[in-house]
Amino acid sequence: MITSLANAFFQTNLETGLFVWKPTPKEQIFLSKININNQEEALLKMYVARSKDLTANQTNNIKCSRQKCQDHNCNFIPNYPKIFFDVNTTEPLQPWLPIKKIEDLLD
């Protein structure tokens, strides 16, 4: 799976139903720490993970986001997979990698 960092900072405008770039002040601090100054730069910041590492199962403690699902080992990929970052290095934590390291997933 490949995603853009920008996806995390869009909100739905309730009047128009359109997605709007709207990072909170706390999110803007995070963006500045990783040298992202605007929406365009965030759209170009891409991360990659193996889909099997994002599925809901008991091994990785990812929970299924489907309301009716009671199977903790269903292997569904949540609609909004989370990327966590190391607070010291600002690098993404496993299973995510910057897109420039995609070859590491091919071994």
Side-chain angles (χ1 to χ4, degrees):
M1 174 176 283
I2 299 173
T3 189
S4 166
L5 180 66
N7 289 337
F9 304 102
F10 281 93
Q11 296 179 21
T12 304
N13 179 312
L14 298 177
E15 292 177 17
T16 64
L18 299 174
F19 295 112
V20 184
W21 169 260
K22 196 172 181 182
T24 66
K26 186 177 177 181
E27 292 167 341
Q28 289 173 354
I29 291 169
F30 168 76
L31 290 169
S32 68
K33 285 183 179 181
I34 60 170
N35 299 315
I36 300 293
N37 300 303
N38 55 51
Q39 177 183 344
E40 185 175 331
E41 289 176 358
L43 285 166
L44 295 173
K45 193 80 163 176
M46 305 290 278
Y47 297 97
V48 61
R50 288 185 181 103
S51 59
K52 72 176 185 167
D53 294 333
L54 301 175
T55 61
N57 63 60
Q58 293 170 330
T59 305
N60 62 16
N61 292 318
I62 294 174
K63 306 292 183 220
C64 182
S65 59
R66 296 181 295 176
Q67 289 181 346
K68 295 180 182 180
C69 183
Q70 299 299 315
D71 182 0
H72 297 291
N73 212 26
C74 70
N75 292 311
F76 176 76
I77 298 175
N79 293 341
Y80 303 101
K82 295 179 181 179
I83 302 176
F84 295 98
F85 292 83
D86 182 297
V87 294
N88 297 313
T89 67
T90 67
E91 289 294 315
L93 298 176
Q94 291 292 331
W96 294 95
L97 294 172
I99 190 83
K100 65 185 176 190
K101 294 185 178 180
I102 194 170
E103 290 180 4
D104 292 353
L105 297 179
L106 303 175
D107 292 338

